[in-house]
Amino acid sequence: MPKPKPKGAPVLKVEELAIAYKVRNGEIEAVQNVSFEIYRGETMGIVGESGCGKSTVAWSIVNFLGANGYVKRGSLIFQGQDLVGKRGEELRQLRGDQIAMVFQDPMQALNPSMRLGDQMKEVLTVHRGLAEKAAESRCVEMLERVHMPDAANVMKRYPHQISGGQQQRVVIAMALLNNPALLIMDEPTTALDVTVEATVLDLVAELRRDFDTAIMFITHNLGVVARICTRVGVMYAGEMVERATVDEIFARPQHPYTQGLIRCVPRLGADKASSILYPIPGRVPPPNNRPTGCVFGPRCDYRQDRCRQERPLLRQLASGSWVRCHFAEDIDPAAWTPPEGLELPAVHASTGNGEVILDIKDLKKYYEVQGSSLRDVVGMGEKRYVKAVESASFSVPKGKTLGVVGESGCGKSTLIKTIIGLEDSTSGEATFMGFDITGDITTRDEQLIRELQMVFQNPDSTMNPSYTVGQQIGRPMERFKTVPRKQVRQEVINLLEAMRLGANYYDRLPRQLSGGEKQRVGIARALASRPELVLCDEPVSALDVSVQAAILNLLLEVQQELNTTLIFIAHDLSVVRFFSDFVAVMYLGQVMEVGAAEAIYAPPYHPYTEALLSAVPIPDPTVQQKHIRLEGSVPSAIDPPSGCRFHTRCPRRHLLPDNGRICEEKIPPWRQVAAEHRIFCHIPVETLQKFEPVIVPQ
């Protein structure tokens, strides 16, 4: 049965909205025929791949479409009045007073040259005419409302003097100062750590409940949608293809595109041995080259002749969902089978024979801090260090994958930069294939460099825009003489085909590729020298879920065929669980827990691991998840806490005598849980085993 709509008129009603941009030869319709409503006290999630028009719809509401963008058709009814056509002072007053927007990057909304307090007070003095003192008091009150520590002093700081998560809280507080009727949030948590993201999502849920605000939440993360949204609109190629309650979307997705998105996402607890991700073939068509008929038709597993000839209308089904599909009633998601030609790793069998290829013991990496005082300049001051990696110890068997997780600044990237040789280690041992790799890359043998390669998070920063794809992949082959020079071109084409790209990509330049295609080229280049170990630094974090699924499948297939060893860094614990054989959890430079992936995701946990698991958004609204939130921010790596580095934020200290004073005074021991599972904690394993599971599926 469909759920009844909230009472009263909608805060925002979008009807048959079409948005166009003027170009040299006419115009392009970026958004077509979009309709939805948002009521007070509810969160409407807008999801879809990049290029689907999600942000364009949001920008049309606040008239941020630029000089060449405009609403071509339809209406935007906000509290009874149409926003289309409003200009100047009237629209500015509405935007500042009744409609607020929170961007993905908080620095887009903060002036770096003004103190935070002055920026916040301006909202109240301009739109509400409050006196300076009253405005300041209201701002401090709102900062405390969004759980900002030391709110009064934060008012005196500049944006660069607070963390990214705190910047986002300031922007949210600023947006709520006038108690707006509509709050638009455009990917507000994408760049945040999983723990900070969880706090911000909790805050959004509180604001909806306490302020009775209507929220439009744009995201590509289905886990975030499941956690905070009441209703969901799925966009594809500028159209709204499905609209339903959040429970309906996840339990009974009606549109083939929605079903495809859900199949792309790994569930927390799923692993590569028992489940497969199915990427949606093809890509979102550009606005100037949409197909006739159904826009999703070329990528749809159920397409028929009618889909190619006739554009479907958005219509309501008996379930209450609104779907833009000719055959929605006839499609059973549970009966879906992969179409012929969808090449995926057939069996994720265990690779390797237990031989250790990488062994790390007490590895440290310190950076000296250069002071600015006279004593520091003449070398008389006490030397201070950023302790980026502290006593890291683990080993990786050949043919396996080690996942490394933790908050920003925990030392993940520094660890793999030290392993690959971009940084030399301060002390400790690191051996790869029996060779010492503690020095920087200039001291390494060429053969050793060939066996260690890296895939970076942002392929744009590592690709030369002036060289073709073929030249960039072929260079390592020529440099390391992997194949004879005459065979380089054919070997590059073989790699491109293995990456699902093909020979026609050989002569393309990076600017002619999509984000997912660039990442595939980066992987191909890393594999060109046929290395034994590939280090992957957040290779899928910036990608759409369908492209992410394709890249993960690709890496798994490469590992199957070449028996390659991988170290995989990611902030998405669901992805790490699916992809990894072993997991290391890092906090402030130290490894807190290491073990087989299935062991890390079930009790006993390190308290930090438990907090991370409780924070990860799960794409299933029926799952029950423990609510554990870490207080405060990560301490400075220049002056880390004594004893256990996690003790200042640990929610489990009270389980030890004297409220865990030993955590402040002594470095914890390593506690052996199983042959391959160790926890760095003062709390006995017997006590840790009594923790209830963080995640309980219904």
Side-chain angles (χ1 to χ4, degrees), residues 412-446:
K412 305 186 299 293
S413 294
T414 302
L415 174 65
I416 65 169
K417 284 178 183 177
T418 305
I419 292 171
I420 203 169
L422 294 175
E423 304 281 359
D424 58 339
S425 64
T426 303
S427 66
E429 301 176 20
T431 56
F432 170 64
M433 300 176 64
F435 295 94
D436 179 21
I437 55 170
T438 51
D440 65 35
I441 202 164
T442 59
T443 66
R444 292 187 183 176
D445 180 82
E446 187 174 288

Side-chain angles (χ1 to χ4, degrees), residues 666-677:
K666 292 186 179 181
I667 295 174
W670 276 105
R671 299 191 181 275
Q672 199 76 32
V673 181
E676 296 175 332
H677 186 194

Side-chain angles (χ1 to χ4, degrees), residues 12 34 41 46 76 107 151 191 237 341 355 475-476 480 493 496 555 564 571 587 635 641 643 670:
L12 177 71
V34 169
I46 308 292
L76 292 163
M107 288 304 290
E355 171 196 351
R475 188 171 183 274
F480 296 115
I493 291 173
L496 285 171
L555 287 169
T564 307
H571 66 269
Y587 179 80
W670 276 105

Side-chain angles (χ1 to χ4, degrees), residues 291-310:
T292 56
C294 176
V295 290
F296 187 62
R299 303 175 74 188
C300 183
D301 299 329
Y302 304 97
R303 62 183 175 272
Q304 299 180 28
D305 289 340
R306 183 183 177 189
C307 304
R308 299 182 182 94
Q309 299 162 3
E310 181 185 343

Side-chain angles (χ1 to χ4, degrees), residues 223-362:
V224 170
V225 169
R227 177 173 286 183
I228 67 161
C229 293
T230 49
R231 291 192 298 127
V232 183
V234 181
M235 288 195 66
Y236 180 77
E239 293 185 344
M240 186 78 75
V241 296
E242 183 166 3
R243 203 173 72 227
T245 65
V246 69
D247 292 333
E248 282 287 330
I249 284 287
F250 284 95
R252 288 170 293 278
Q254 299 289 336
H255 196 281
Y257 178 60
T258 310
Q259 297 166 16
L261 287 178
I262 292 173
R263 283 193 292 266
C264 290
V265 182
R267 303 280 176 136
L268 192 65
D271 59 34
K272 57 189 176 184
S274 61
S275 59
I276 295 177
L277 303 181
Y278 291 98
I280 304 171
R283 64 165 77 171
V284 180
N288 61 345
N289 192 27
R290 293 192 182 104
T292 56
C294 176
V295 290
F296 187 62
R299 303 175 74 188
C300 183
D301 299 329
Y302 304 97
R303 62 183 175 272
Q304 299 180 28
D305 289 340
R306 183 183 177 189
C307 304
R308 299 182 182 94
Q309 299 162 3
E310 181 185 343
R311 182 69 57 92
L313 299 175
L314 188 69
R315 57 199 177 85
Q316 190 171 24
L317 305 183
S319 64
S321 300
W322 290 79
V323 183
R324 194 183 296 274
C325 177
H326 293 305
F327 307 106
E329 293 93 339
D330 305 325
I331 297 172
D332 180 7
W336 179 86
T337 56
E340 289 185 25
L342 184 60
E343 299 177 36
L344 292 170
V347 179
H348 297 307
S350 178
T351 57
N353 56 10
E355 171 196 351
V356 172
I357 192 171
L358 178 69
D359 194 25
I360 306 294
K361 292 181 181 176
D362 292 323

